[in-house]
Amino acid sequence: MEKLFEYAKRVSVGTWVRGILSLVSIVNMALAAFGKTPLNIEYGELYTAIKADFPMDKVYFHGNNKTADEIELAVKNKVGNIIVDNIYELEALNETAKKYGVVQNIMFRIKPGVDAHTHSFIQTGQIDSKFGVALENGEAFEIIEKASKMSNVKVNGVHCHIGSQIFDIEPFCKAAEIMMNFVGDLKDKLGLEIDNLNLGGGYGIMYTENDDPVPYDEYIQHVSEVVKATAE
């Protein structure tokens, strides 16, 4: 794990890469010792992080079906970024932040419409996925435009995650290109500067002898080159 982060820091194509890890159990609180940023998924994990005195400004709170209680817990405890999956969450977040007199940093989970070349059960970037808002039908642009006009949320970034157990580099590169172009559209059409781009994970690992994972540094190198080329 440390090796992956070190490579991400050294990648020499002018792209800054932040490691965001999944906080899936209390054991992963040990990651705090490395100064990494956990990716929080649900109420119980957020509650655990709060009780462990983990710095809330380093928490990214995910989940495609957040309850009102979860949203309030996150806002009240000053979670660094809350990832929004739908219009209900956006409106609830703005109202909750208004209640506490704060402006909440948010990111949006985007469905880039990329075929992840993996089992259909673990594809999450296509238009009919339950996660996030879709690019193809204009949903993503419309919800971010609406958020940009709200008083108590600040659009701080966009995020995508196209699936799991992906052994090809090409889908990650395609997703990076699509997301970078979307970031450009937000700037050109809304004047909105996106500070954070999270391209997710899903890299294949060896579960069976037939699995042949691509080395992580190859993923990072290729995706970083696409990000730089699209930015230019």
Side-chain angles (χ1 to χ4, degrees):
M1 188 68 72
E2 282 298 290
K3 182 179 179 182
L4 174 58
F5 280 109
E6 286 306 311
Y7 184 83
K9 292 177 189 175
R10 296 197 314 268
V11 68
S12 58
V13 293
T15 304
W16 180 70
V17 181
R18 168 178 284 184
I20 299 182
L21 301 180
S22 178
L23 180 61
V24 294
S25 72
I26 193 169
V27 175
N28 283 2
M29 288 298 177
L31 290 171
F34 295 122
K36 306 306 180 210
T37 305
L39 179 150
N40 218 299
I41 299 177
E42 58 162 73
Y43 181 90
E45 293 159 356
L46 178 58
Y47 180 82
T48 301
I50 293 167
K51 289 300 182 181
D53 290 327
F54 195 91
M56 287 294 104
D57 62 326
K58 292 185 177 181
V59 169
Y60 288 69
F61 185 37
H62 283 246
N64 71 312
N65 191 28
K66 303 177 192 71
T67 66
D69 287 345
E70 290 172 347
I71 288 171
E72 179 151 9
L73 183 70
V75 172
K76 181 170 66 174
N77 285 278
K78 301 179 180 178
V79 162
N81 277 277
I82 299 176
I83 287 68
V84 177
D85 277 61
N86 52 63
I87 189 65
Y88 155 74
E89 288 183 4
L90 174 61
E91 293 173 344
L93 271 167
N94 190 57
E95 288 304 310
T96 304
K98 188 181 297 183
K99 172 182 173 181
Y100 285 95
V102 299
V103 175
Q104 175 65 54
N105 284 336
I106 62 172
M107 297 174 66
F108 282 91
R109 179 160 180 170
I110 308 297
K111 294 183 282 194
V114 172
D115 181 356
H117 300 175
T118 188
H119 194 284
S120 61
F121 287 2
I122 49 177
Q123 290 179 343
T124 56
Q126 72 279 14
I127 192 169
D128 60 349
S129 169
K130 66 181 180 180
F131 300 102
V133 290
L135 276 180
E136 297 161 77
N137 59 6
E139 180 186 22
F141 185 88
E142 290 173 8
I143 195 172
I144 293 178
E145 183 179 24
K146 183 170 185 175
S148 70
K149 299 174 182 177
M150 289 181 166
S151 59
N152 289 83
V153 294
K154 179 181 184 297
V155 181
N156 196 38
V158 289
H159 161 67
C160 73
H161 184 87
I162 60 174
S164 301
Q165 276 299 88
I166 303 168
F167 292 97
D168 298 329
I169 293 176
E170 187 272 335
F172 292 106
C173 292
K174 186 63 177 175
E177 181 183 8
I178 290 171
M179 293 294 287
M180 284 295 293
N181 284 328
F182 181 56
V183 168
D185 284 346
L186 293 175
K187 181 178 180 181
D188 294 342
K189 297 175 182 178
L190 298 179
L192 185 62
E193 297 272 0
I194 296 297
D195 296 327
N196 295 288
L197 172 63
N198 182 339
L199 295 173
Y203 311 119
I205 63 172
M206 183 176 286
Y207 278 114
T208 72
E209 292 181 356
N210 295 324
D211 292 332
D212 185 23
V214 177
Y216 291 129
D217 56 354
E218 289 189 30
Y219 281 118
I220 295 171
Q221 185 69 39
H222 282 82
V223 170
S224 297
E225 288 171 355
V226 170
V227 169
K228 181 183 179 184
T230 310
E232 292 175 343

